[in-house]
Amino acid sequence: MKGSPAPKSEANLEFLVARTRCHRKPGNLEADETAMQVRELIMSQPGRPCNTENIARRLDISPRTLRQHLASAGTSFRELRNEIRESFATLYLKDTNVPLESISEKLGFSDQAGFTKAYRSWTGTTPGDVRRQARSKK
Protein backbone atom coordinates (compact mmCIF):
# COMPACT_ATOMS: atom_id res chain seq x y z
CA MET A 1 0.00 0.00 0.00
CA LYS A 2 1.51 3.31 -1.08
CA GLY A 3 2.31 5.71 1.75
CA SER A 4 2.26 3.09 4.50
CA PRO A 5 5.34 1.70 6.20
CA ALA A 6 6.17 -1.88 5.36
CA PRO A 7 5.15 -4.52 7.92
CA LYS A 8 8.83 -4.75 8.89
CA SER A 9 8.68 -1.07 9.82
CA GLU A 10 5.64 -1.61 12.00
CA ALA A 11 7.58 -4.28 13.88
CA ASN A 12 10.45 -1.80 14.31
CA LEU A 13 8.02 0.79 15.69
CA GLU A 14 6.60 -1.74 18.14
CA PHE A 15 10.14 -2.55 19.23
CA LEU A 16 10.96 1.15 19.76
CA VAL A 17 7.84 1.70 21.82
CA ALA A 18 8.41 -1.45 23.87
CA ARG A 19 12.02 -0.46 24.49
CA THR A 20 10.91 2.96 25.69
CA ARG A 21 8.43 1.35 28.06
CA CYS A 22 11.16 -0.86 29.53
CA HIS A 23 13.45 2.09 30.26
CA ARG A 24 10.86 3.87 32.39
CA LYS A 25 11.10 3.36 36.11
CA PRO A 26 8.35 1.22 37.60
CA GLY A 27 5.75 3.28 39.39
CA ASN A 28 2.08 3.29 40.08
CA LEU A 29 0.51 0.35 38.20
CA GLU A 30 -2.67 2.25 37.40
CA ALA A 31 -0.63 5.20 36.12
CA ASP A 32 1.58 2.90 34.04
CA GLU A 33 -1.52 1.24 32.56
CA THR A 34 -2.98 4.65 31.72
CA ALA A 35 0.27 5.68 30.03
CA MET A 36 0.22 2.47 27.98
CA GLN A 37 -3.40 3.10 26.93
CA VAL A 38 -2.58 6.71 25.99
CA ARG A 39 0.41 5.52 23.95
CA GLU A 40 -1.78 3.02 22.08
CA LEU A 41 -4.49 5.62 21.41
CA ILE A 42 -1.95 8.09 20.06
CA MET A 43 -0.40 5.38 17.88
CA SER A 44 -3.82 4.58 16.43
CA GLN A 45 -4.39 8.19 15.42
CA PRO A 46 -1.14 10.22 15.40
CA GLY A 47 -2.46 12.78 12.92
CA ARG A 48 -5.97 13.35 14.15
CA PRO A 49 -6.85 15.99 16.69
CA CYS A 50 -4.96 14.14 19.36
CA ASN A 51 -5.06 16.14 22.57
CA THR A 52 -5.39 15.57 26.28
CA GLU A 53 -9.12 16.27 26.32
CA ASN A 54 -9.95 13.83 23.52
CA ILE A 55 -7.80 11.05 24.96
CA ALA A 56 -9.21 11.59 28.47
CA ARG A 57 -12.75 11.38 27.08
CA ARG A 58 -11.90 8.10 25.31
CA LEU A 59 -10.52 6.71 28.58
CA ASP A 60 -13.55 8.00 30.48
CA ILE A 61 -11.47 10.07 32.91
CA SER A 62 -10.98 13.80 33.37
CA PRO A 63 -8.07 15.60 31.67
CA ARG A 64 -6.72 16.45 35.12
CA THR A 65 -6.75 12.80 36.19
CA LEU A 66 -5.07 11.86 32.92
CA ARG A 67 -2.28 14.39 33.52
CA GLN A 68 -1.86 13.13 37.10
CA HIS A 69 -1.61 9.49 35.99
CA LEU A 70 0.93 10.36 33.31
CA ALA A 71 2.98 12.40 35.79
CA SER A 72 2.93 9.42 38.20
CA ALA A 73 4.18 7.25 35.35
CA GLY A 74 7.05 9.70 34.80
CA THR A 75 5.85 11.16 31.53
CA SER A 76 3.43 13.64 30.01
CA PHE A 77 0.98 13.64 27.14
CA ARG A 78 3.30 15.84 25.09
CA GLU A 79 6.27 13.52 25.67
CA LEU A 80 4.28 10.46 24.62
CA ARG A 81 2.82 12.15 21.54
CA ASN A 82 6.20 13.50 20.44
CA GLU A 83 7.90 10.14 21.01
CA ILE A 84 5.34 8.42 18.79
CA ARG A 85 5.37 11.13 16.14
CA GLU A 86 9.17 10.94 15.99
CA SER A 87 9.07 7.15 15.61
CA PHE A 88 6.45 7.26 12.85
CA ALA A 89 8.25 10.12 11.09
CA THR A 90 11.59 8.31 11.13
CA LEU A 91 10.01 5.15 9.74
CA TYR A 92 8.23 7.07 6.98
CA LEU A 93 11.44 8.93 6.13
CA LYS A 94 13.66 5.84 6.03
CA ASP A 95 11.30 3.20 4.64
CA THR A 96 8.94 5.02 2.25
CA ASN A 97 8.96 7.64 -0.48
CA VAL A 98 6.01 9.53 1.04
CA PRO A 99 6.58 13.27 0.47
CA LEU A 100 7.52 15.34 3.52
CA GLU A 101 4.34 17.37 3.16
CA SER A 102 2.25 14.18 3.38
CA ILE A 103 4.20 12.91 6.39
CA SER A 104 3.65 16.19 8.19
CA GLU A 105 -0.07 16.01 7.43
CA LYS A 106 -0.33 12.36 8.56
CA LEU A 107 1.29 13.29 11.87
CA GLY A 108 -1.01 16.24 12.51
CA PHE A 109 1.22 19.18 11.66
CA SER A 110 -0.38 22.18 9.98
CA ASP A 111 2.49 22.51 7.51
CA GLN A 112 5.82 21.01 6.49
CA ALA A 113 7.81 23.80 8.16
CA GLY A 114 6.27 22.98 11.55
CA PHE A 115 7.05 19.30 11.05
CA THR A 116 10.65 20.05 10.07
CA LYS A 117 11.15 22.30 13.10
CA ALA A 118 9.68 19.69 15.47
CA TYR A 119 11.69 16.84 13.92
CA ARG A 120 14.90 18.86 14.22
CA SER A 121 14.14 19.56 17.91
CA TRP A 122 13.55 15.84 18.55
CA THR A 123 16.53 14.44 16.67
CA GLY A 124 18.98 17.26 15.95
CA THR A 125 18.69 16.64 12.22
CA THR A 126 16.22 17.53 9.49
CA PRO A 127 13.77 15.14 7.84
CA GLY A 128 15.47 15.79 4.49
CA ASP A 129 18.86 14.76 5.91
CA VAL A 130 17.39 11.53 7.33
CA ARG A 131 15.81 10.69 3.98
CA ARG A 132 19.03 11.43 2.05
CA GLN A 133 21.06 9.25 4.43
CA ALA A 134 18.55 6.41 4.10
CA ARG A 135 18.67 6.60 0.29
CA SER A 136 22.46 6.64 0.23
CA LYS A 137 22.53 3.39 2.24
CA LYS A 138 20.27 1.53 -0.19
Side-chain angles (χ1 to χ4, degrees), residues 47-60:
R48 294 187 185 156
C50 190
N51 58 45
T52 307
E53 289 74 23
N54 290 341
I55 296 294
R57 186 173 32 255
R58 291 190 63 191
L59 295 175
D60 198 28

Side-chain angles (χ1 to χ4, degrees), residues 19-48:
R19 185 180 67 192
T20 301
R21 285 183 195 151
C22 291
H23 289 298
R24 297 204 186 279
K25 294 179 181 170
N28 177 327
L29 266 157
E30 186 177 8
D32 290 343
E33 178 66 25
T34 300
M36 186 173 66
Q37 290 174 329
V38 169
R39 186 177 277 110
E40 289 169 3
L41 287 170
I42 295 169
M43 285 179 68
S44 72
Q45 55 177 345
R48 294 187 185 156

Side-chain angles (χ1 to χ4, degrees), residues 71-114:
S72 293
T75 191
S76 71
F77 180 81
R78 181 179 295 203
E79 288 175 2
L80 292 175
R81 186 178 62 185
N82 286 342
E83 168 189 305
I84 290 163
R85 284 171 144 183
E86 178 188 343
S87 296
F88 272 113
T90 300
L91 288 174
Y92 277 121
L93 293 167
K94 289 182 175 182
D95 297 342
T96 72
N97 290 320
V98 175
L100 295 180
E101 187 174 316
S102 296
I103 294 172
S104 66
E105 185 180 309
K106 287 174 188 284
L107 298 178
F109 289 92
S110 58
D111 59 22
Q112 183 180 332

